[in-house]
């Protein structure tokens, strides 16, 4: 599996579709896999929702509830779920023609079965745009129209529609703005209430491959305003971009194509996201053979005005706490070299670790995960450079790709707080860092030959005062 698709909430269920090749564990003719959940934590597999047809393979896209039945594909009393996706036609490409177009499918039984629209494709490919894909559709209430954000080469294009079937070009954004190390993919246009204010800003979340923060695939974001037709960057964010460079949703190597759920209820009000936990630099080479590809933890996104610009922060959704088991506390103390964390050996690879310590500019402080075979993974803060880092160079299996562990991954610490906060979630093949209440996030996969069984806090340079070191056992979701 790769990109999450069609994420929509309806009648108490979170629907998650995803790019999927059901016949193998490397990339193949893409379908939409399907799973549902009541809490984004415990999932139930469902049959393949959309399979290739005469128009092509089923690439990435989105899904919405057509509450007012603008499409005419359901009724007002039973509004249809409508999926909007990219067709990728290899035969057209072989003939030298643009092969990507947008199609729709609908469900009138709450997402259990899907019917493709007989008028597909609803948005044919322009002659000059070979990369024309990954539609993310929202309802724009102010203009009473549907808006599609579409990845087109090195920019995002916006289209509008009254009925999800007839689309009109509106505008484009992004050429020469932000990171452009690769093709832009999987856009997502989302309105946010700026935390602590009454202000609303629009955020364009935009993946690209390659060209990510630490090479390979990555996801950047832009903050601005949207009038139903055109996205314009905020002046403050423009200055931030010029001063700091691209702004990344996740600085790790393994959170790509992250998009948000549509139709979250107003009483909930959260912006909820999930990403593909892999990287195209080595996605088809990672060690697992029974499965290949996974998702990140589901995350709540919040937008903050820091005074120096905008910060799009990520934290695990509250529902993850349903998996919390016993808490293991290590006594706070001043650490000169290392401090072993109180975690049962068999829980190290499935735990939530909270670490808080006093910022020291001259020290390097990190959590080290290890086993008796000498495999180690380190994640922490370099106080000298004020950068978080993730080091998997000795983490276990790294020989499957020269790009997997060729360098230490880094991310700037944007918080100026005197206390450094790290929240680290581990699973059998992943480590997800949420630092400073989600201001800096790093997601990396790891493949130890033997499970890590020990965790310690290590200090190099000068003593560091630890105010909190706790580990929570994480239960299996199955």
């Amino acid at each position: 599996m790769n990109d999450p698709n069609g994420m929509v909430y309806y009648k108490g269920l979170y629907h998650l579709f995803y790019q999927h090749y059901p016949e193998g564990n490397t990339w193949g003719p893409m379908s939409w896999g399907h799973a549902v959940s009541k809490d984004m934590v415990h999932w139930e597999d469902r049959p393949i929702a959309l399979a290739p047809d005469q128009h092509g393979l089923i690439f990435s896209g989105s899904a919405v509830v057509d509450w007012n039945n603008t499409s005419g594909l359901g009724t007002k009393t039973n509004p249809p779920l409508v999926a909007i996706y990219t067709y990728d036609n290899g035969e057209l490409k072989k003939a030298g023609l643009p092969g990507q177009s947008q199609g729709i499918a609908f469900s009138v039984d709450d997402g259990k079965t899907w019917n493709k629209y007989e008028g597909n494709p609803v948005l044919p490919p322009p002659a000059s745009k070979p990369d024309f894909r990954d539609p993310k559709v929202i309802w724009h209430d102010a203009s009473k129209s549907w808006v599609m954000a579409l990845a087109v080469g090195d920019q995002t294009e916006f289209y509008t529609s009254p009925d999800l079937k007839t689309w009109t070009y509106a505008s484009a954004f992004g050429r020469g703005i932000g990171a452009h190390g690769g093709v832009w993919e999987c856009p997502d246009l989302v309105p946010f209430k700026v935390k602590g204010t009454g202000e609303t800003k629009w955020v364009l979340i935009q993946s690209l491959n390659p060209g990510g923060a630490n090479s390979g695939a990555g996801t950047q974001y832009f903050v601005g305003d949207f009038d139903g037709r055109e996205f314009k960057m905020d002046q403050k964010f423009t200055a931030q971009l010029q001063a700091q460079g691209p702004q990344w949703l996740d600085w790790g190597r393994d959170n790509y194509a992250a998009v948000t759920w549509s139709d979250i209820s107003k009483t909930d009000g959260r912006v909820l996201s999930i990403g593909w936990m892999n990287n195209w630099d080595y996605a088809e080479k990672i060690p697992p053979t029974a499965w290949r590809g996974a998702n990140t933890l589901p995350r709540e996104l919040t937008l903050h005005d820091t005074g120096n610009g905008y910060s799009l922060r990520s934290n695990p959704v509250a529902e993850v706490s349903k998996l919390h088991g016993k808490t293991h506390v290590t006594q706070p103390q001043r650490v000169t070299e290392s401090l072993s964390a109180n975690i049962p050996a068999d829980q190290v690879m499935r735990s939530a670790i909270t670490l808080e310590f006093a910022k020291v500019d001259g020290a390097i402080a990190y959590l080290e995960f290890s086993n008796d075979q000498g495999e180690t993974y380190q994640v922490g803060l370099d106080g000298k450079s004020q950068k978080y880092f993730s080091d998997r160079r000795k983490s276990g299996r790294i020989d499957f790709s020269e790009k997997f562990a060729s360098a230490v991954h880094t991310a700037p610490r944007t918080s100026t707080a005197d206390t450094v906060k790290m929240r680290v979630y581990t699973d059998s093949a992943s480590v997800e860092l949420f630092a400073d209440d989600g201001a800096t996030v790093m997601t990396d996969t790891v493949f130890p030959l033997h499970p890590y069984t020990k965790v310690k806090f290590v200090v190099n340079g000068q003593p560091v005062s630890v105010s909190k070191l706790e580990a929570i056992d994480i239960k299996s979701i199955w």
Side-chain angles (χ1 to χ4, degrees):
M1 64 174 292
N2 57 79
D3 302 0
N5 298 155
M7 293 147 57
V8 62
Y9 180 76
Y10 188 56
K11 292 187 177 180
L13 286 180
Y14 296 91
H15 290 264
L16 170 64
F17 302 88
Y18 51 91
Q19 289 285 278
H20 179 48
Y21 177 45
E23 303 302 325
N25 60 14
T26 57
W27 194 96
M30 286 288 105
S31 298
W32 272 23
H34 188 195
V36 294
S37 174
K38 294 180 180 179
D39 58 9
M40 295 176 286
V41 176
H42 301 91
W43 291 92
E44 174 191 334
D45 284 320
R46 285 197 172 173
I48 298 295
L50 300 174
D53 59 35
Q54 71 274 19
H55 297 298
L57 310 182
I58 311 296
F59 275 19
S60 294
S62 53
V64 295
V65 183
D66 185 8
W67 292 104
N68 295 314
N69 194 34
T70 63
S71 63
L73 298 172
T75 65
K76 283 196 174 183
T77 56
N78 184 30
L81 297 181
V82 180
I84 309 96
Y85 55 89
T86 295
Y87 274 120
D88 186 80
N89 191 315
E91 295 303 315
L92 289 176
K93 288 181 175 180
K94 288 178 183 177
L97 300 171
Q100 294 187 338
S101 61
Q102 316 317 313
I104 63 174
F106 63 97
S107 173
V108 290
D109 60 2
D110 305 339
K112 296 182 180 69
T113 60
W114 292 81
N115 303 290
K116 291 171 183 165
Y117 176 56
E118 62 183 13
N120 279 336
V122 295
L123 184 55
S128 60
K129 297 174 180 176
D131 293 307
F132 190 68
R133 61 177 184 263
D134 310 339
K136 184 61 160 60
V137 171
I138 60 170
W139 174 256
H140 187 255
D141 198 52
S143 62
K144 301 300 179 186
S145 67
W146 297 100
V147 173
M148 176 193 293
L150 196 67
V152 184
D154 62 349
Q155 63 182 1
T156 299
E157 291 186 351
F158 298 100
Y159 292 78
T160 62
S161 173
D163 58 8
L164 293 166
K165 297 184 288 190
T166 304
W167 293 92
T168 303
Y169 174 83
S171 65
F173 169 83
R175 187 159 289 168
I177 302 172
H180 281 276
V183 175
W184 280 23
E185 298 183 315
C186 303
D188 193 359
L189 183 65
V190 188
F192 281 84
K193 294 287 187 183
V194 181
K195 273 287 187 181
T197 76
E199 183 182 31
T200 295
K201 284 293 178 183
W202 287 78
V203 176
L204 177 63
I205 300 170
Q206 182 65 69
S207 296
L208 78 162
N209 176 49
N214 281 284
S215 79
T219 302
Q220 61 185 321
Y221 66 89
F222 305 90
V223 180
D225 299 291
F226 184 73
D227 62 4
R229 294 185 57 83
E230 188 176 6
F231 177 82
K232 292 183 178 179
M233 270 201 312
D234 180 88
Q235 288 185 344
K236 186 189 300 184
F237 187 81
T238 300
Q240 179 181 347
L241 199 62
Q242 291 171 344
Q244 302 174 12
Q247 303 296 294
W248 299 100
L249 181 67
D250 192 312
W251 292 80
R253 290 272 269 140
D254 294 307
N255 181 8
Y256 188 59
V259 286
T260 60
W261 264 278
S262 71
D263 294 282
I264 299 299
S265 68
K266 291 183 179 180
T267 54
D268 183 322
R270 293 177 295 173
V271 178
L272 304 172
S273 172
I274 203 166
W276 175 48
M277 195 156 55
N278 213 333
N279 193 304
W280 281 120
D281 268 356
Y282 40 76
E284 295 189 291
K285 301 176 181 178
I286 60 174
T289 54
W291 59 274
R292 185 167 275 129
N295 286 322
T296 67
L297 284 173
R299 301 174 182 187
E300 179 182 1
L301 306 183
T302 53
L303 186 64
H304 302 252
D305 187 342
T306 66
N308 296 317
Y310 291 98
S311 172
L312 185 60
R313 299 183 183 179
S314 304
N315 282 291
V317 297
E319 289 86 340
V320 171
S321 65
K322 290 185 176 184
L323 300 176
H324 287 182
K326 187 176 180 180
T327 298
H328 309 277
V329 178
T330 302
Q331 188 67 28
Q333 55 192 278
R334 188 171 173 83
V335 180
T336 55
E337 293 183 356
S338 66
L339 172 65
S340 293
N342 179 23
I343 306 177
D346 60 357
Q347 282 292 155
V348 169
M349 294 298 285
R350 198 165 69 231
S351 63
I353 301 172
T354 299
L355 170 66
E356 297 181 7
F357 58 91
K359 182 183 70 172
V360 179
D361 294 341
I364 299 173
Y366 55 91
L367 289 172
E368 180 178 272
F369 298 80
S370 64
N371 57 31
D372 291 337
Q373 286 71 34
E375 297 172 331
T376 61
Y377 169 77
Q378 299 172 352
V379 59
L381 179 70
D382 184 338
K384 299 173 184 177
S385 64
Q386 284 301 298
K387 289 185 178 181
Y388 286 101
F389 66 89
S390 169
D391 187 351
R392 61 185 181 187
R393 292 175 299 173
K394 298 178 181 179
S395 60
R397 282 289 306 276
I398 63 172
D399 58 348
F400 54 88
S401 170
E402 61 182 16
K403 295 181 178 180
F404 181 75
S406 58
V408 176
H409 311 150
T410 62
R413 183 177 192 242
T414 57
S415 172
T416 57
D418 291 333
T419 299
V420 177
K421 297 181 179 180
M422 293 172 52
R423 181 82 159 167
V424 178
Y425 280 82
T426 64
D427 203 349
S428 58
S430 62
V431 182
E432 298 175 73
L433 166 68
F434 303 89
D436 300 318
D437 300 315
T440 302
V441 180
M442 300 184 79
T443 302
D444 273 341
T445 52
V446 290
F447 302 102
L449 290 168
H450 304 274
Y452 301 138
T453 54
K454 293 172 284 188
V455 183
K456 63 181 178 180
F457 177 63
V458 181
V459 175
N460 295 326
Q462 62 187 96
V464 172
S465 294
V466 174
S467 55
K468 188 174 186 179
L469 178 54
E470 296 181 356
I472 301 175
D473 296 345
I474 300 294
K475 305 169 190 174
S476 172
I477 68 171
W478 303 110

